[in-house]
Amino acid sequence: MKGYGPADPLQTPRFAGISTFLRLPHTTHLDGVDVAFVGLPFDTGVSFRAGARFGPKAIREGSLSIRPDYNMAQRVALFERLSAIDYGDAPVVPGFTDRSYDKMAAALCTVHEAGAVPIGFGGDHSVLLAELRAAAATHGPVALIQFDAHSDTWDEYFGEKFTHGTVVRRATEEGLIDAARSTLMGMRGGLYGPGDLDDARALGFTVIPWDDLAQLGTGAVAAAVERAGGKAFLTFDIDFVDPAFAPGTGTPECGGPSSMQALALLRACRGLHIVGADVVEVLPDLDSSHLTATLAATVAWEILSLVAVTMPDGAV
Ligand SMILES: [Mn+2]
């Protein structure tokens, strides 16, 4: 093991102990840390169902069933290549978006400044703005790779600018992301008008609706990685996946990818230079099967694997 890694599941069973993500050590000491998992328990930005503030807890619990050490699909021994911790949750002020953004961004800036990659657990998707403010403060404008049933590029909801449906537009306006290097994938369901996705394209994004992505497959994701061409933030809204596989989410859209398809598409991000990432919009109250949280944890682990494959192999 390179540094911090999970408790050995062959010494203590995976259901035992305190539920940190992957049973990684919970610490805020960042020396030598490559990846820090950070909970973002905020759901004031939602337009429909609330409850994602409890997402981080559920995703940690959902991670316990994962055998964390080796990713068979990527052929990588994760903790021989990187040191990872559970940083805990960023502070938030429930009901107050601006102050929560400031607090979450400050916590995430600390992680970036230490040279570690934060992987956030939402929280609703509005937390992305805090994450991108923190990422851009260290790295400058980044490419956004977004898996999501919605583009989140609307201008406002109910006259409000800072919501989970407007966050990608705000990040563009603030110069946090480079739209020309960014790809939004998975959009489906009804829209407010015929121009909704054209508006996203007018901002400079490459937009690949789910019906197209389903036909194009992993090659379209590889092309998105190519287009990113450098530092990138990967955001995964769990509503990208069909609600049959991920029912515990705020704004479900039927007719999406299975969990198998979604994971294959995510793995095709191999080679992406990830400086930050997240998985968001898990609502445990509607996740009676725990499948959504388990899938979200798997997504976060696959993202950790994507970071691992870009690092030197430290195995002896
Ligand atoms: Mn979203």
Side-chain angles (χ1 to χ4, degrees), residues 56 65 131 144 156 159 183 212:
S65 64
E131 295 177 285
L144 184 69
E156 54 183 47
T183 307
D212 295 341

PDB file of all heavy atoms in Angstrom, residues 56 65 131 144 156 159 183 212:
ATOM      1  N   PRO A  56     -24.445  11.705   1.242  1.00  0.00           N
ATOM      2  CA  PRO A  56     -23.088  11.275   1.611  1.00  0.00           C
ATOM      3  C   PRO A  56     -23.077  10.101   2.591  1.00  0.00           C
ATOM      4  O   PRO A  56     -22.305   9.146   2.424  1.00  0.00           O
ATOM      5  CB  PRO A  56     -22.481  12.541   2.229  1.00  0.00           C
ATOM      6  CG  PRO A  56     -23.193  13.673   1.549  1.00  0.00           C
ATOM      7  CD  PRO A  56     -24.605  13.173   1.352  1.00  0.00           C
ATOM      8  N   SER A  65     -19.885  -2.716   0.559  1.00  0.00           N
ATOM      9  CA  SER A  65     -19.891  -4.022  -0.122  1.00  0.00           C
ATOM     10  C   SER A  65     -18.805  -4.125  -1.187  1.00  0.00           C
ATOM     11  O   SER A  65     -18.535  -5.217  -1.697  1.00  0.00           O
ATOM     12  CB  SER A  65     -21.263  -4.268  -0.749  1.00  0.00           C
ATOM     13  OG  SER A  65     -21.505  -3.301  -1.755  1.00  0.00           O
ATOM     14  N   GLU A 131     -17.703  23.243  -6.066  1.00  0.00           N
ATOM     15  CA  GLU A 131     -16.584  22.368  -6.447  1.00  0.00           C
ATOM     16  C   GLU A 131     -15.763  22.985  -7.575  1.00  0.00           C
ATOM     17  O   GLU A 131     -14.525  22.924  -7.554  1.00  0.00           O
ATOM     18  CB  GLU A 131     -17.131  21.010  -6.898  1.00  0.00           C
ATOM     19  CG  GLU A 131     -17.814  20.226  -5.794  1.00  0.00           C
ATOM     20  CD  GLU A 131     -18.399  18.935  -6.340  1.00  0.00           C
ATOM     21  OE1 GLU A 131     -19.445  18.993  -7.027  1.00  0.00           O
ATOM     22  OE2 GLU A 131     -17.819  17.877  -6.094  1.00  0.00           O
ATOM     23  N   LEU A 144     -15.311  20.171 -18.448  1.00  0.00           N
ATOM     24  CA  LEU A 144     -16.344  19.467 -17.685  1.00  0.00           C
ATOM     25  C   LEU A 144     -16.811  18.254 -18.478  1.00  0.00           C
ATOM     26  O   LEU A 144     -17.205  18.373 -19.647  1.00  0.00           O
ATOM     27  CB  LEU A 144     -17.540  20.388 -17.407  1.00  0.00           C
ATOM     28  CG  LEU A 144     -18.644  19.780 -16.537  1.00  0.00           C
ATOM     29  CD1 LEU A 144     -18.160  19.587 -15.102  1.00  0.00           C
ATOM     30  CD2 LEU A 144     -19.903  20.656 -16.545  1.00  0.00           C
ATOM     31  N   GLU A 156     -32.588  30.142 -15.007  1.00  0.00           N
ATOM     32  CA  GLU A 156     -33.072  30.308 -13.637  1.00  0.00           C
ATOM     33  C   GLU A 156     -34.262  29.396 -13.361  1.00  0.00           C
ATOM     34  O   GLU A 156     -34.905  28.877 -14.282  1.00  0.00           O
ATOM     35  CB  GLU A 156     -33.430  31.761 -13.341  1.00  0.00           C
ATOM     36  CG  GLU A 156     -34.397  32.399 -14.304  1.00  0.00           C
ATOM     37  CD  GLU A 156     -34.637  33.884 -13.979  1.00  0.00           C
ATOM     38  OE1 GLU A 156     -33.663  34.629 -13.743  1.00  0.00           O
ATOM     39  OE2 GLU A 156     -35.813  34.274 -13.957  1.00  0.00           O
ATOM     40  N   GLY A 159     -37.140  32.264 -10.736  1.00  0.00           N
ATOM     41  CA  GLY A 159     -36.465  33.542 -10.590  1.00  0.00           C
ATOM     42  C   GLY A 159     -35.139  33.466  -9.864  1.00  0.00           C
ATOM     43  O   GLY A 159     -34.506  34.492  -9.621  1.00  0.00           O
ATOM     44  N   THR A 183     -18.045  18.235 -22.441  1.00  0.00           N
ATOM     45  CA  THR A 183     -19.083  17.409 -23.059  1.00  0.00           C
ATOM     46  C   THR A 183     -20.134  17.032 -22.027  1.00  0.00           C
ATOM     47  O   THR A 183     -19.802  16.550 -20.936  1.00  0.00           O
ATOM     48  CB  THR A 183     -18.469  16.129 -23.670  1.00  0.00           C
ATOM     49  OG1 THR A 183     -17.392  16.496 -24.536  1.00  0.00           O
ATOM     50  CG2 THR A 183     -19.508  15.350 -24.456  1.00  0.00           C
ATOM     51  N   ASP A 212     -28.655   9.446 -28.557  1.00  0.00           N
ATOM     52  CA  ASP A 212     -27.464   9.403 -29.417  1.00  0.00           C
ATOM     53  C   ASP A 212     -26.341   8.613 -28.748  1.00  0.00           C
ATOM     54  O   ASP A 212     -25.679   7.791 -29.389  1.00  0.00           O
ATOM     55  CB  ASP A 212     -26.973  10.822 -29.727  1.00  0.00           C
ATOM     56  CG  ASP A 212     -27.984  11.620 -30.546  1.00  0.00           C
ATOM     57  OD1 ASP A 212     -28.873  10.980 -31.158  1.00  0.00           O
ATOM     58  OD2 ASP A 212     -27.898  12.856 -30.553  1.00  0.00           O
TER      59      ASP A 212
END
